[in-house]
């Protein structure tokens, strides 16, 4: 079985690749994080797709860190999450949705998800620690305010 990995643009592909590289498996786990448009599952071949997404809060903070407006970050997140949900509706049986920060924060639980959902025999190669990053408190406050206003 092939497992293709895709992530929304607001996710950090380096962090996801590092997470996936920590697992050893006898199955074919495709390394390299693609965009949703690059993933073409073939159910007949037994392909599975693991889609990483992020929260609107994280997407807004990431957008501001990159110099974009909070509104642009939230709008981009809405567009991408809708595309992910459309993809999931079309390929529900072969798609696993995974929230990026949760997977990175708890690789052991993520390994259990892979074992249970994808029926892969995985083991964690090395102990992983969650990567801490400095986030501007103002970006966090603006993101919270924007999301609260949007609800």
């Amino acid at each position: 079985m092939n497992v293709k990995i895709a992530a929304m643009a607001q996710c950090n592909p380096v962090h996801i690749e590092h997470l996936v590289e920590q697992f050893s498996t006898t199955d074919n786990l495709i390394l390299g994080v693609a965009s949703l448009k690059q993933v073409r599952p073939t159910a007949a071949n037994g392909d599975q797709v693991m889609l990483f997404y992020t929260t609107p809060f994280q997407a807004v903070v990431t957008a501001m860190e990159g110099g974009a407006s909070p509104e642009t970050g939230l709008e981009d997140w809405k567009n991408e999450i809708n595309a992910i949900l459309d993809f999931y509706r079309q390929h529900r049986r072969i798609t696993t949705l995974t929230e990026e920060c949760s997977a990175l924060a708890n690789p052991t639980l993520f390994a259990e998800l892979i074992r249970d959902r994808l029926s892969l025999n995985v083991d964690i190669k090395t102990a992983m620690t969650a990567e801490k990053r400095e986030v501007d408190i103002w970006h966090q406050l603006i993101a919270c305010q924007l999301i609260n206003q949007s609800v």
Side-chain angles (χ1 to χ4, degrees), residues 4-62:
K4 298 177 180 179
I5 299 171
M8 60 190 316
Q10 294 85 352
C11 291
N12 186 324
V14 173
H15 292 163
I16 295 170
E17 282 184 19
H18 179 67
L19 175 67
V20 173
E21 287 171 354
Q22 300 310 306
F23 299 104
S24 61
T25 177
T26 56
D27 296 288
N28 195 9
L29 200 58
I30 307 295
L31 293 180
V33 180
S35 71
L36 186 59
K37 292 177 183 173
Q38 295 170 314
V39 174
R40 298 285 181 254
T42 343
N45 295 342
D47 286 353
Q48 291 282 320
V49 177
M50 180 168 288
L51 285 178
F52 284 87
Y53 66 94
T54 192
T55 64
F57 173 82
Q58 192 60 46
V60 170
V61 169
T62 300

